[in-house]
Amino acid sequence: MKIILKIVITLFLLINPTIAKDQIKVRGIEIDIPNKENLIYLKRTENQATAIYKVKMYVEKTDDNQFKSAVFYLDGIINSHVGQHRDWFDGYYFRDDNALLNDKNRFNLYLDDQKGFGGLFVQEMNLSEFSKKHEKYEVLKSMWSILEKKHNINLPLSVIRSDHLNMKGNRLFWITYIENINHLPDHHELNKKKFNPQNIDNFPIYKSYMDKWINLSLSRHIEFQEKLKIKDDQARNYENFDKNKNENFYLSEFNKNDDLIVLSDETEQEIKKTDSD
């Protein structure tokens, strides 16, 4: 009986490889992180006289020490001068030149909260360039620098990311999920980024890829809202999103993406070659 049970467990792990990942809980929100063999963990606590900000970053690396994915969160409690802190972060996220979330035209999904400060934001970006030229939150800038200098992990030129943000009263909470997409074939072809919202409809394979990332981000954001008691139904009612399917379903769908997009691209190239012949 024990042998049979062991075989069943082994088969289950093979069929469901994501179960090997660890999980943390932050303010009740469940976050998957890589297992220890593939994990780089960074943390920083910023003790100010008027606030405490805790930042933790979990970076998944490949076997050949390349950046694969990352998740980080910032959890802040402001003890006084709330208005000043809110004003700084409003500039950092939305108002400043080169602010993280200020140019809506760059985003594949932009759901700012109808009430309050926050929302869900999905975009492709050059992570390396942003961290070096535009990142003004010194704690994060330092952590990206440590990743490169201490751990020899180069930041990708192209990632897709989702930012989940909320500030309520004296509490700021921010979770970001990042996926490296440098490995995808020719998505910068002819200087036209295939994930750019202005171009993506011309590239159905890449649109499907992004739609799956958006659906996964929406499912994560619904849990984010529920645990933080945010009353905003934009994510739940987003077009073509099935709120009856859970995050594991959307994660599984997204994880199928890479093989499909590479195969489809190879087929497309083969068709072009045949046509030219």
Side-chain angles (χ1 to χ4, degrees):
M1 183 67 181
K2 288 182 179 178
I3 294 173
I4 294 172
L5 182 60
K6 187 178 289 185
I7 292 170
V8 170
I9 292 171
T10 303
L11 287 172
F12 185 69
L13 288 169
L14 290 172
I15 295 168
N16 299 274
T18 56
I19 200 169
K21 291 198 172 187
D22 294 323
Q23 197 174 72
I24 59 170
K25 267 192 177 183
V26 188
R27 297 187 65 182
I29 300 167
E30 296 179 348
I31 302 173
D32 288 331
I33 60 172
N35 55 41
K36 292 178 181 177
E37 289 75 18
N38 299 319
L39 174 68
I40 298 172
Y41 171 53
L42 303 173
K43 65 178 180 177
R44 182 73 59 85
T45 298
E46 188 180 4
N47 286 301
Q48 301 181 12
T50 56
I52 298 173
Y53 294 107
K54 295 180 180 179
V55 183
K56 295 189 178 182
M57 180 182 292
Y58 303 84
V59 177
E60 181 178 12
K61 63 179 182 176
T62 62
D63 292 337
D64 57 349
N65 212 44
Q66 300 297 310
F67 183 106
K68 184 176 181 182
S69 67
V71 56
F72 67 80
Y73 72 83
L74 181 155
D75 192 2
I77 299 177
I78 305 167
N79 301 312
S80 63
H81 299 84
V82 175
Q84 292 181 16
H85 286 264
R86 186 186 182 96
D87 188 61
W88 191 92
F89 279 105
D90 188 30
Y92 171 74
Y93 291 118
F94 300 108
R95 288 189 291 103
D96 294 347
D97 292 341
N98 299 309
L100 182 65
L101 309 173
N102 75 343
D103 183 0
K104 291 185 179 181
N105 293 323
R106 288 201 325 262
F107 287 81
N108 301 90
L109 178 67
Y110 197 98
L111 295 182
D112 51 338
D113 287 348
Q114 294 172 327
K115 297 179 181 178
F117 182 104
L120 166 61
F121 312 91
V122 173
Q123 64 175 312
E124 178 198 7
M125 73 181 304
N126 184 324
L127 183 61
S128 179
E129 181 182 67
F130 185 83
S131 68
K132 288 177 173 63
K133 293 183 179 179
H134 307 309
E135 178 58 70
K136 63 175 288 189
Y137 184 42
E138 289 299 327
V139 170
L140 263 183
K141 191 168 187 173
S142 171
M143 292 172 91
W144 290 126
S145 178
I146 289 170
L147 192 66
E148 291 196 300
K149 293 177 180 178
K150 181 179 178 180
H151 298 279
N152 298 314
I153 301 289
N154 292 326
L155 294 184
L157 300 179
S158 188
V159 300
I160 51 176
R161 63 185 285 165
S162 66
D163 290 275
H164 309 254
L165 175 66
N166 178 255
M167 185 171 184
K168 186 187 298 181
N170 70 332
R171 197 80 182 260
L172 173 67
F173 194 58
W174 174 28
I175 300 180
T176 297
Y177 298 89
I178 297 175
E179 289 283 334
N180 184 1
I181 55 172
N182 270 351
H183 61 287
L184 298 182
D186 296 332
H187 68 288
H188 291 288
E189 187 180 60
L190 301 176
N191 294 320
K192 292 182 179 179
K193 292 187 177 183
K194 293 183 180 180
F195 286 109
N196 187 296
Q198 314 306 319
N199 300 323
I200 198 167
D201 287 340
N202 298 319
F203 305 102
I205 300 167
Y206 292 81
K207 186 176 189 313
S208 175
Y209 192 105
M210 178 57 75
D211 285 346
K212 289 179 180 179
W213 178 250
I214 286 173
N215 281 336
L216 175 58
S217 302
L218 289 164
S219 67
R220 286 169 168 165
H221 198 65
I222 287 170
E223 183 191 11
F224 180 90
Q225 291 179 313
E226 287 175 349
K227 294 297 166 57
L228 299 184
K229 296 181 171 56
I230 301 167
K231 295 181 179 179
D232 190 304
D233 291 328
Q234 292 181 90
R236 190 178 296 278
N237 297 326
Y238 191 75
E239 58 183 349
N240 300 323
F241 174 73
D242 187 348
K243 60 189 175 186
N244 296 312
K245 291 184 168 64
N246 63 24
E247 183 180 324
N248 287 334
F249 169 83
Y250 287 116
L251 179 60
S252 175
E253 288 296 296
F254 178 74
N255 286 337
K256 296 174 185 176
N257 257 338
D258 283 2
D259 291 340
L260 291 174
I261 203 166
V262 171
L263 285 171
S264 299
D265 191 81
E266 287 175 352
T267 304
E268 184 180 321
Q269 297 302 321
E270 192 63 35
I271 290 169
K272 287 179 181 178
K273 184 177 182 299
T274 304
D275 287 346
S276 64
D277 291 342

